[in-house]
Amino acid sequence: MSRADRFTGKSVIVTGAAQGIGRGVALAVAAEGGQVLAVDRSVVVDEVVAEIVAAGGSAASFQADLETFAGASAMVSEAVTRFGRVDVLINNVGGTIWAKPFEHYEEAQIEAEIRRSLFPTLWSCRAALPVMIRQQGGTIVNVSSVATRGVHRVPYSAAKGGVNALTASIAMEATRHGIRVNATAPGGTEAPPRRIPRNAAQPSPDEVSWYQGVVDQTIDSSLMHRYGTVDEQVAPILFFASDESSYITGSVLPVGGGDLG
């Protein structure tokens, strides 16, 4: 099988597929022959599927709130109904909602950050595992972050630390069923402006300064002293999702220009 056909005949769920890295992953998997279920809670995901189909690929969209187990279960059921199986699950939902020193976070904001950046991956893995166990095979790729060591994002850092832990622990349990579980940990990534912002509120002067602190720390921590591109994040995700990584499981790969998190 050539590199361009790594996902031919495979059913692939991509979450957070409407924008950014998730969109790039969905387009790339489809271009390599995969049947893609592009999942997001935004209707924008329909445009991604339309782009895939226009290019001759195979894809369907599904809207779900993956912060709930019901949403994750519905997503997996949709993939099985459409494609008959789930070969690959790529968990891409998550992202900082607020950037501020920890003492400035409100209780509700802390809970919202954890719900946003931990639970979609946790629930999606839980929903997909019974299907993959019945198949006696499957691949899960979680998208974590090098921000497990980072300023002004403590709740997000904690959530992504949880993603790293569940990646390792599920891998230990699932290997006997032929299931591999790995994660990439992106660093700062240049992406087009979000069409659906995580936080639509106008930032205060303090919030602007605090976010600049995140940017400065990200660049300073990276040996390359720059942000990455979406394509530079997509490539290692596809490697873990493909059979090229058949002897790797339970691993978290930093993709942050030398920032190890």
Side-chain angles (χ1 to χ4, degrees):
M1 181 177 291
S2 71
R3 183 179 177 84
D5 297 324
R6 286 182 293 181
F7 300 101
T8 296
K10 291 190 176 183
S11 163
V12 183
I13 297 174
V14 181
T15 74
Q19 305 180 80
I21 294 172
R23 175 183 177 274
V25 169
L27 294 173
V29 168
E32 293 195 30
Q35 295 178 306
V36 176
L37 184 68
V39 184
D40 206 281
R41 62 183 178 186
S42 168
V43 71
V44 175
V45 73
D46 292 342
E47 298 177 17
V48 177
V49 168
E51 186 175 348
I52 290 171
V53 172
S58 174
S61 63
F62 189 71
Q63 288 181 253
D65 180 2
L66 299 179
E67 293 179 11
T68 69
F69 183 51
S73 296
M75 169 188 75
V76 172
S77 294
E78 178 72 10
V80 172
T81 297
R82 284 185 175 273
F83 305 130
R85 57 188 291 117
V86 178
D87 295 300
V88 181
L89 168 64
I90 300 173
N91 289 311
N92 183 68
V93 175
T96 306
I97 306 172
W98 296 275
K100 60 180 76 179
F102 190 43
E103 66 269 21
H104 290 278
Y105 274 90
E106 300 168 11
E107 179 181 358
Q109 292 174 337
I110 292 170
E111 291 183 352
E113 293 278 12
I114 299 298
R115 284 198 308 272
R116 179 63 175 169
S117 290
L118 174 60
F119 276 95
T121 298
L122 188 72
W123 291 138
S124 296
C125 287
R126 173 60 182 83
L129 275 170
V131 174
M132 291 184 173
I133 289 170
R134 286 197 299 270
Q135 296 169 177
Q136 286 296 286
T139 302
I140 297 174
V141 184
N142 298 323
V143 179
S144 180
S145 175
V146 298
T148 48
R149 290 173 60 89
V151 300
H152 302 167
R153 293 179 289 177
V154 169
Y156 173 73
S157 299
K160 289 303 190 179
V163 169
N164 292 350
L166 70 88
T167 296
S169 295
I170 295 174
M172 292 178 73
E173 294 184 2
T175 302
R176 64 192 178 95
H177 299 291
I179 300 165
R180 296 186 302 108
V181 188
N182 292 295
T184 67
T189 304
E190 294 285 358
R194 293 184 61 84
R195 294 173 60 184
I196 309 295
R198 297 189 185 102
N199 184 356
Q202 185 69 25
S204 69
D206 279 342
E207 288 170 331
V208 170
S209 175
W210 290 332
Y211 186 78
Q212 186 60 46
V214 171
V215 174
D216 294 344
Q217 185 253 311
T218 298
I219 293 173
D220 289 345
S221 296
S222 165
L223 298 180
M224 294 184 176
H225 301 299
R226 67 171 176 87
Y227 270 42
T229 67
V230 169
D231 286 346
E232 287 174 321
Q233 299 299 341
V234 169
I237 292 170
L238 264 62
F239 168 71
F240 272 148
S242 75
D243 292 339
E244 291 183 337
S245 60
S246 59
Y247 193 50
I248 305 174
T249 194
S251 296
V252 179
L253 175 66
V255 189
D259 184 354
L260 303 181

